[in-house]
Amino acid sequence: MRLFVSEGVPGCLPVLAAAGRARGRAEVLISTVGPEDCVVPFLTRPKVPVLQLDSGNYLFSTSAICRYFFLLSGWEQDDLTNQWLEWEATELQPALSAALYYLVVQGKKGEDVLGSVRRALTHIDHSLSRQNCPFLAGETESLADIVLWGALYPLLQDPAYLPEELSALHSWFQTLSTQEPCQRAAETVLKQQGVLALRPYLQKQPQPSPTEGRAVTNEPEEEELATLSEEEIAMAVTAWEKGLESLPPLRPQQNPVLPVAGERNVLITSALPYVNNVPHLGNIIGCVLSADVFARYSRLRQWNTLYLCGTDEYGTATETKALEEGLTPQEICDKYHIIHADIYRWFNISFDIFGRTTTPQQTKITQDIFQQLLKRGFVWQDTVEQLRCEHCARFLADRFVEGMCPFCGYEEARGDQCDKCGKLINAVELKKPQCKVCRSCPVVQSTQHLFLDLPKLEKRLEEWLGRTLPGSDWTPNAQFITRSWLRDGLKPRCITRDLKWGTPVPLEGFEDKVFYVWFDATIGYLSITANYTDQWERWWKNPEQVDLYQFMAKDNVPFHSLVFPCSALGAEDNYTLVSHLIATEYLNYEDGKFSKSRGVGVFGDMAQDTGIPADIWRFYLLYIRPEGQDSAFSWTDLLLKNNSELLNNLGNFINRAGMFVSKFFGGYVPEMVLTPDDQRLLAHVTLELQHYHQLLEKVRIRDALRSILTISRHGNQYIQVNEPWKRIKGSEADRQRAGTVTGLAVNIAALLSVMLQPYMPTVSATIQAQLQLPPPACSILLTNFLCTLPAGHQIGTVSPLFQKLENDQIESLRQRFGGGQLEETFDLKAKTSLKPAVVETVTTARPQQIQALMDEVTKQGNFVRELKAQKADKNEVAAEVAKLLDLKKQLAVAEGKPPEAPKGKKKK
Amino acid sequence: MAAAAELSLLEKSLGLSKGNKYSAQGERQIPVLQTNNGPSLTGLTTIAAHLVKQANKEYLLGSTAEEKAIVQQWLEYRVTQVDGHSSKNDIRTLLKDLNSYLEDKVYLTGYNFTLADILLYYGLHRFIANHDCFVYKKMRIVTGGPHVCL
């Protein structure tokens, strides 16, 4: 028999540890294959380990392979072992997979990882201590021990994940881990890289769903069908029959959009992206795209909606960037504002306004709020010790000074934080400080700054939150962050900075200072509206009539839930405050964070070059929206979701429904005579539509998308069961039945096109054009499912909506956009003991990594030249030169050249 | 079909007359059997194997080491893959795989009817209840053996 195993696949641990049991009874040949190899001919998905028996049969279950080895050694099956193995497969494995995924793919630590397996670990520990045996099924080590040990080893070999208090588990695990077969198995599978050896394998696994989510996504199909009452069905049928008549007239488009008394007025803001960066996918899903879905939904509900955003342009980072690129701050802002606007246009973001913060309105409104706060005693002056560069004749803001970290001695610590040890630094504490612009040594001088007295405003804030939070749709993380700031007590905050690029402070003695961005950035929403309409106060000083939804990533919460509300409450000018604060968690890229400097991840401008349409990006980002917990972007998953959900499910259904109308009924919607089964389907679709509304009203964007896919699945099943393509060739009754099924299906397709509009606006418009859906039905979504394509309606030309994504296409994109493995490539290179095949793959770095290195070499080269030109300190120059040489060496390695002989041939 | 009902059905077909009472555990409603002589047993396939032994029909668990391992493999498949929260798409893949596995076989172990066939049949039954013709056709192949009348 032949045992197929693979490095880095967890199931191979117990199998290899148990293989020795068969020795003397059978010959086991061990073959190493790739983790993605399809060894078993009848299984669609790759599966390793696999045991091919001499009879030709395959064992593809890890436990069954181990069991077989034990059976060969004469062991007898027993209930207790069966029970442990069943528990391992159904309870332990899902929990462990989730924990390993969080740890290895998402880089989480501590309780985030342990949380999902703690219950299972405790269960083992209790069982061991209760039965008072050293092993799971008795006095000697047996099958259950090996299988569970193998499953647990990757996680528990790191002592951080083997809780001390579980002492029985602890000693059981140690006993097994020190045995020779287990040690050798661990050596073979993990290659002394610990749990990281599993990374390539785990990356291919689907992201674990949170336990509470599991029940929601897939199970309900049958149950919901069962709960329909006769009354519900009757109501759904009545609503359906009313059809287009029940649609209200379309709201006339206003310009500008202003609140209307007696209507629902929804003001939506997306966090203002900082101007000097190109946004990555995480930024896009975090605010602009999420807010866009809600804005589009809100318009479909005929709510009076204004959606605004803009670039946040003031601040240190802009000034630094301007120095870097040799432009003025204004030129930098102009340049990047256009980049941002273009990206969002490509993503089809439906802003009513996309403005910017560097406008006279910003100055006017910020200064006005400041004056009100000053007048009411919420602002005070204080003296601050600060670094001043005599050469540049100015006080240095945090980011304009570098020096040695007072904590760890790192040479290039920034004025606010050390990049090496991560500690926050007060700029005056830096050792050997340097002005970043001229490199001269600044001196400590005292200067005046303004402080916002948040402690004095805390009570008002608490009162407002007490009125606002109950019954609102603030996301749990936003509430949590806000509460924890309040629990620690608010502290006075400095609101001025020594910069030129900002909103001037209208106070004598502050001519050289501007407002700190976190005081005036959130005022940007107001000034952007003011640039859109001179009646901006009807939105922003109208809390009674306006519902304000603010979208952001969670790091932005305090500015929106505490700082701006405090400023606005202190100014006592009846400002509109946030009613629903919607914060997302973080989106990771494959296994790590998006990183511009390392060229890792997909950035807004690059998404356009992938050849994947904007709507597919929108769909996938919304499908994995980090709602409630972090999530990760994965190319493989993108391919999977496109091909399964869009192509096979949604696209397939809508296309079939339309095609039947064209092919069988000459393009005219046929007569529909509903049977009780059809009526049940109607009611079922209605129920799912209402569920969609409930979710979107609560801004649960990701969950609501699932409702669309569920309806489409029902549609597919309906067509499949009723087979209109067969009935059309049958008797008169059969043909009528084919007509009803086709008519109902195409109406479901029409409904889906409207529900899809917030998520995939272009696809939605394409479907509506294909079906020639009447205009009011395209722009209004009621809570009932209506017959919007009545019998006799003529549809247009139907064509497929989605394209299949191919593996090699996705693989080449993955390579182009990197996977954060640059450093590892070189680590592996150093280990010459690896098999030749492996070395081959790692020595040839991806072209994009080479490009990143080339860029770094160029950058470092320029920096060294600059230093030399400035006649900088010799030691410093030497250090930078050493860095440059090191980079060049890395580049040579990446290109496959011998480091000292640059003329060597490039490896292909 | 709830696990307890499934186990009662199995008892009947095994000729066990006593009729055990089952309790259910946790959100997945895992069946638990309190045995007379020892600790309780938890889990569908564990209890099913226990019942088979009680009925003295051990041949249903396989006769050779190979058959025994194969039976347990498909029992595990039943509770992890078939009972997993699978999407329509997963179900298709699952049925396709089963169909291609069974192409040259009468039963899961080859020629001998075992507990794996019984529990897999019960497990797949709920897909038929959906009246999905496509699925049903595939099912006919899976359950084509004489034990359909179980």
Side-chain angles (χ1 to χ4, degrees), chain A residues 612-623:
Chain A
I612 299 172
D615 266 15
I616 305 297
W617 282 110
R618 289 178 60 115
F619 169 82
Y620 181 62
L621 290 173
L622 292 161
Y623 192 93

Side-chain angles (χ1 to χ4, degrees), chain A residues 44 55 60 79 83 86 91, chain B residues 28 42 46 50 66 73 97:
Chain A
T44 309
S55 63
F60 56 84
D79 285 345
Q83 179 170 286
E86 184 174 356
E91 302 282 322
Chain B
R28 291 199 300 114
T42 307
T46 304
H50 173 80
E66 177 172 335
Q73 158 163 294
D97 288 358

